[in-house]
Amino acid sequence: MNTQHWINHFEANTRLNHELRLPETPCELPDQTREAFARSIAIFQLGESGGGTRLRRYTRSIASLENLKGYQRAVDLFVAEEQSHAALLARTVGHLRGTLLKKQWTNSIFRWMRDLVNLEFNIQVLLTAELIAEVYFGLLSLRCSDPVVQTVAKKLLRDEMGHLSFQRDFLFERLKTLIPAMQRLWRWQFQAIHFVTAAVVAWDHRDCLRALNVSPADFRARAVRCWQSFQSRLERRLGESETHARQELASTSGYNRSSSAAMQSPVS
Ligand SMILES: [Fe+2]
Ligand SMILES: [Fe+2]
């Protein structure tokens, strides 16, 4: 994994979030819409505000792997970027005259799930949230008329797309070590967890989605398309890597055969 690329990326990009200037116009949305956005964005704000303690603990367990050198540093910077998202979303909730949350049930389930298995599963649950965030911030940036919400949603959408690539790079490194049957099993459970999560989020954020003129079914369909796009890119890379490994093996065994034939020829 090219961890140095991600270290450079996060170092440059997170700074932009700290410096991002938001329009200074007051919120002019009707009260009902404003409140629906404020509540919904406050839930995402809580989700972004974790300190990454468990994730950092897990990354220590793979710190010695040669192909993941520098991953710990990249994860530290990734967590810092998520915290910069929490700060931007807190400013947005303030702009919408909403209240920040300390606890919320979907967020508690997410946190509980992330600690269930191992680092790969932790990343997968995080990734599930990021795939949902891609749809959510995409819709906010396109359909919310408030300029502050639009500005923040656009920036977060771009960042989350970067996070999806970061997680894909990591999962590629881990999944390529699994046999195809295990890769299929991983795909199945990832798809199932993503599907259930999208349904729960669509229901929990239904007032906000209604204000954006998006039905829960439409939100779920968009979420499924994002998952398919992510998964097909990952599978393409895994397929290419397997073909490459097979070709290398074939050329090595071909070389071994020809070299042993060359060694035998003087004798025969
Ligand atoms: Fe984020
Ligand atoms: Fe993210």
Side-chain angles (χ1 to χ4, degrees), residues 48 78 82 85 130 160 163:
E48 302 264 14
F78 161 75
E82 293 294 22
H85 289 179
E130 290 177 325
E160 293 302 342
H163 294 182

Side-chain angles (χ1 to χ4, degrees), residues 161-181:
M161 289 173 85
H163 294 182
L164 293 180
S165 295
F166 176 58
Q167 318 296 17
R168 187 163 42 235
D169 277 4
F170 171 77
L171 285 172
F172 167 73
E173 292 295 332
R174 303 305 281 161
L175 290 175
K176 73 179 180 186
T177 63
L178 300 180
I179 58 168

Side-chain angles (χ1 to χ4, degrees), residues 59-72:
T59 53
R60 278 199 287 276
S61 66
I62 50 127
S64 59
L65 293 177
E66 189 60 33
N67 59 340
L68 290 168
K69 251 188 188 155
Y71 183 64
Q72 254 186 311

